[in-house]
Amino acid sequence: MTSISRRSRASGRPTLEQVAVEANVSRGTASRVVNGSLEVSPWALKAVQDAIRKLGYVPNHAARSLVTQRSDTVLLVVSESEDRVFGEPFFASLVRGLSQELSNTPLQLNLMMANTARQHGRVEQQVRNGHVDGVILISLHGDDPLPNNLMAAGAPVALNGRPMSEGPAPYVDADNESGARTATEYLYNQGRRRIATITGPQDMAAGVDRLAGYRAALRGKRGVTRLIAQGDFGQASGEAATRELLSKDPDLDAIFAASDLMAAGALRALRAAGRRVPDDVAVIGFDDSEVARHTDPTLTSVRQPMQQMGRELAKLLINQLRDPETDLSPVILPTELICRESA
């Protein structure tokens, strides 16, 4: 037995051997999982990760204070596909803000995608192995356990977007409900009465809150036809949702889309259907991204301060690294309706 193992047992800290026994795998397999090797089966990966969590195992090289920032690395984890991350302007603006704020520190930003349980496991390995000082999570869906798992492993965590279930991780978000309510009220005040919305995903708080804002704006108003179709924030879903809405009500006269890309898809479907914008149908998007300035007609949109959100995310994480006892209150940023040609 090595001196390190003797010290670990004497101090009561779980050893790699104990992890291997708990997971019913060889020590070599447990070691490969701990060191991030891809040469393990999905079953073994899960068994070892479960054993690590159960025993509270921390590798020696990770047992250090995060405050020292010895790795000088922040992990940016995005729960979306590569096509979406590199194809949608929201993510680029957010990363730009993050990079601007981190440029004043020694911290470097590393990007990982995490759509599957296996990818989640790799993120947890990065933390447990001491390869990163903190984690920023973007675009979480549903009741994702990753934030709590990472915090349990000792990592400072900051979230972009309100999580679907309350937890200890601090987050930065735009005031989605207020922005959606303002956009829908604007359409109503223009005299539109057959007002549709294309929602974002309903397993994300942004999608839920923007739908809630639409509903709140029209609550109690008589003589209004309400129409709802679901999208996924992407352009193709906005186009498909608009065709669905037109099939339900060919005379609809307004659409609030919960993202600029879906609004751009709506413009395309309306043009194909022979509907003029804004004469026949007014359209409003959400984000005020570059997309809004390059559609035809240019897009009225709810501006959320995406670069500022990125900067605030970085500040949340930096503050935790400097002081683990720092206040973890969420940061909610205001939105603004930017009027252009489409409404």
Side-chain angles (χ1 to χ4, degrees):
M1 182 183 295
T2 67
S3 60
I4 292 176
S5 296
R6 284 196 295 271
R7 285 197 300 272
S8 296
R9 291 184 187 280
S11 65
R13 191 173 68 211
T15 66
L16 185 60
E17 289 86 353
Q18 290 171 314
V19 169
V21 170
E22 178 69 29
N24 196 26
V25 299
S26 70
R27 187 187 187 283
T29 296
S31 177
R32 284 194 293 275
V33 172
V34 167
N35 289 305
S37 171
L38 302 181
E39 297 178 0
V40 293
S41 69
W43 175 88
L45 177 67
K46 183 178 186 307
V48 174
Q49 288 171 349
D50 289 346
I52 287 171
R53 280 192 287 268
K54 180 177 178 180
L55 297 176
Y57 172 77
V58 179
N60 269 348
H61 56 279
R64 58 172 175 76
S65 171
L66 286 169
V67 179
T68 64
Q69 299 185 358
R70 279 176 51 189
S71 77
D72 286 340
T73 301
V74 170
L75 193 59
L76 175 62
V77 179
V78 188
S79 297
E80 299 289 355
S81 67
E82 289 188 9
D83 288 345
R84 173 152 290 179
V85 172
F86 295 110
E88 296 189 7
F90 171 82
F91 296 104
S93 296
L94 200 70
V95 171
R96 189 174 297 118
L98 277 168
S99 298
Q100 288 171 352
E101 194 65 32
L102 292 177
S103 68
N104 300 317
T105 75
L107 297 168
Q108 301 296 314
L109 197 64
N110 283 357
L111 174 65
M112 286 185 70
M113 310 300 175
N115 289 320
T116 66
R118 186 177 180 85
Q119 290 171 329
H120 280 197
R122 290 175 183 168
V123 172
E124 293 183 34
Q125 285 175 23
Q126 291 284 314
V127 169
R128 293 184 182 278
N129 292 352
H131 294 162
V132 299
D133 292 334
V135 184
I136 293 172
L137 298 171
I138 295 178
S139 205
L140 293 175
H141 291 259
D143 190 15
D144 196 318
L146 190 56
N148 288 340
N149 289 348
L150 295 176
M151 294 185 78
V157 172
L159 312 180
N160 180 72
R162 178 177 66 82
M164 289 292 285
S165 58
E166 291 300 322
Y171 63 89
V172 176
D173 207 350
D175 193 344
N176 291 297
E177 184 170 347
S178 175
R181 185 170 63 247
T182 297
T184 308
E185 287 172 346
Y186 179 85
L187 293 169
Y188 179 84
N189 292 335
Q190 280 193 324
R192 310 288 175 165
R193 292 297 181 267
R194 309 181 80 83
I195 303 174
T197 187
I198 304 173
T199 77
Q202 294 302 287
D203 64 349
M204 299 180 71
V208 171
D209 291 346
R210 292 172 197 178
L211 176 57
Y214 163 84
R215 285 174 165 156
L218 299 181
R219 188 172 296 122
K221 290 183 170 60
R222 298 181 178 179
V224 176
T225 299
R226 300 162 179 80
L227 300 159
I228 298 173
Q230 187 165 336
D232 63 8
F233 287 144
Q235 182 168 338
S237 74
E239 188 172 354
T242 301
R243 290 196 296 266
E244 176 189 334
L245 291 167
L246 288 170
S247 69
K248 292 179 180 177
D249 187 351
D251 296 323
L252 69 84
D253 59 12
I255 296 175
F256 164 60
S259 77
D260 285 349
L261 282 173
M262 292 196 300
L267 292 177
R268 184 171 179 176
L270 289 168
R271 186 179 299 111
R275 307 299 303 279
R276 298 170 300 164
V277 177
D279 303 72
D280 301 324
V281 184
V283 177
I284 296 180
F286 200 112
D287 288 331
D288 191 38
S289 63
E290 284 297 316
V291 171
R293 289 177 279 282
H294 293 95
T295 56
D296 182 20
T298 56
L299 188 62
T300 295
S301 181
V302 178
R303 174 179 292 166
Q304 59 172 337
M306 294 176 284
Q307 286 192 44
Q308 185 182 352
M309 290 168 72
R311 290 193 294 270
E312 294 296 334
L313 272 170
K315 289 177 184 177
L316 272 184
L317 200 68
I318 291 167
N319 288 340
Q320 290 180 73
L321 289 167
R322 289 174 177 165
D323 177 10
E325 303 302 320
T326 191
D327 181 23
L328 299 180
S329 299
V331 177
I332 308 298
L333 300 174
T335 58
E336 178 186 5
L337 184 65
I338 305 300
C339 296
R340 297 191 181 89
E341 298 169 344
S342 69

